[in-house]
Amino acid sequence: MIAGGLLLVVSAPSGCGKTTIVKRVMDTLPGLVFSVSHTTRSPRPGEVDGVHYHFVDGQTFTAIRGRQPSGFLEWAEVHGNMYGTSVDAVVAKQQAGHDVLLDIDVQGAAQVRQRANPVTIFIAPPSLAELERRLRGRGTESDATVAVRLHNARKEMACVAAYDYLVINDRLVEAVESLRSIIIAERCRHRRAPDGQPARWSV
Ligand code: ADP
Ligand code: 5GP
């Protein structure tokens, strides 16, 4: 459906370290644009509207969802809140040749696979016990939301086989290097340079 740059879909159980990895990759690899999702969840301390998410109420979310096909490319209810990727967050940037990175859950990834041709990457924790340590260590979740996120993690991990790539986030530096390597390899596969520019050569 969409020509131009790559559509990179990254999914992971909550607390696995996906935000940390994606930030490090985006800080060190040029040519990547982050798709800012809409969500009905409340901002966490430090989260900025329009940067981390577009924080909206349920009514606004429903109105955007109704604008088909120009509303959401995909949307889902995740851990009791609504999340969606607007068409605006993706299409123009991809058509302009940028590689667009979507941080979305397994339901959203399945919808994007139906509508586009994404490169999909699943980031997994080394164990559920470590996932719980990280979720609690982040200090952003109540006991109840930790329980919901751990329960959902088991179901999400059953979807790994549908993804093109698996990255285990045990040692952070290695996980960052793996995601960087995947993106660089996909660029080379499309006859582009590692920095995302068109390959320059003369024969
Ligand atoms: P997510 O975006 O997947 O919900 P975060 O990036 O917020 O997860 O990470 C959750 C917590 O785990 C954070 O406190 C982060 O610093 C920590 N973390 C991330 N990767 C690792 C790792 N490889 N080893 C130990 N802690 C990690
Ligand atoms: P969090 O609330 O921790 O930021 O995100 C919770 C989950 O929602 C994560 O798995 C994240 O990938 C997912 N998510 C974030 N934005 C979107 C989106 O636009 N669509 C979908 N389907 N999931 C999203």
Side-chain angles (χ1 to χ4, degrees), residues 16 24 27 58 86 91 109 115 117 135 144 147 151 154 201:
C16 175
R24 288 199 186 192
D27 285 348
S86 67
V91 175
R115 298 189 65 181
N117 190 23
L135 262 178
H151 174 77
R154 292 174 195 276
W201 60 344

Side-chain angles (χ1 to χ4, degrees), residues 101-179:
L101 197 148
L102 275 62
D103 167 347
I104 61 176
D105 87 315
V106 296
Q107 306 167 77
Q111 294 171 46
V112 175
R113 270 190 213 101
Q114 305 233 313
R115 298 189 65 181
N117 190 23
V119 175
T120 57
I121 303 128
F122 193 93
I123 302 177
S127 67
L128 280 174
E130 174 61 16
L131 182 66
E132 181 168 0
R133 263 193 295 279
R134 288 182 194 171
L135 262 178
R136 293 193 187 283
R138 192 168 67 184
T140 55
E141 313 298 324
S142 65
D143 283 352
T145 60
V146 167
V148 170
R149 284 168 188 250
L150 284 176
H151 174 77
N152 291 343
R154 292 174 195 276
K155 291 194 276 183
E156 288 159 358
M157 296 221 277
C159 299
V160 172
Y163 284 72
D164 299 318
Y165 296 97
L166 169 64
V167 173
I168 311 271
N169 181 21
D170 190 355
R171 282 177 30 89
L172 181 61
V173 280
E174 286 170 13
V176 170
E177 203 44 39
S178 294
L179 183 57

Side-chain angles (χ1 to χ4, degrees), residues 63-128:
I64 299 172
R65 198 175 65 192
R67 275 188 236 138
Q68 288 303 335
S70 65
F72 287 128
L73 175 65
E74 63 73 36
W75 63 271
E77 182 176 344
V78 191
H79 314 314
N81 294 300
M82 304 304 290
Y83 294 83
T85 304
S86 67
V87 170
D88 282 351
V90 173
V91 175
K93 294 172 185 126
Q94 206 193 350
Q95 283 174 345
H98 300 295
D99 295 331
V100 183
L101 197 148
L102 275 62
D103 167 347
I104 61 176
D105 87 315
V106 296
Q107 306 167 77
Q111 294 171 46
V112 175
R113 270 190 213 101
Q114 305 233 313
R115 298 189 65 181
N117 190 23
V119 175
T120 57
I121 303 128
F122 193 93
I123 302 177
S127 67
L128 280 174

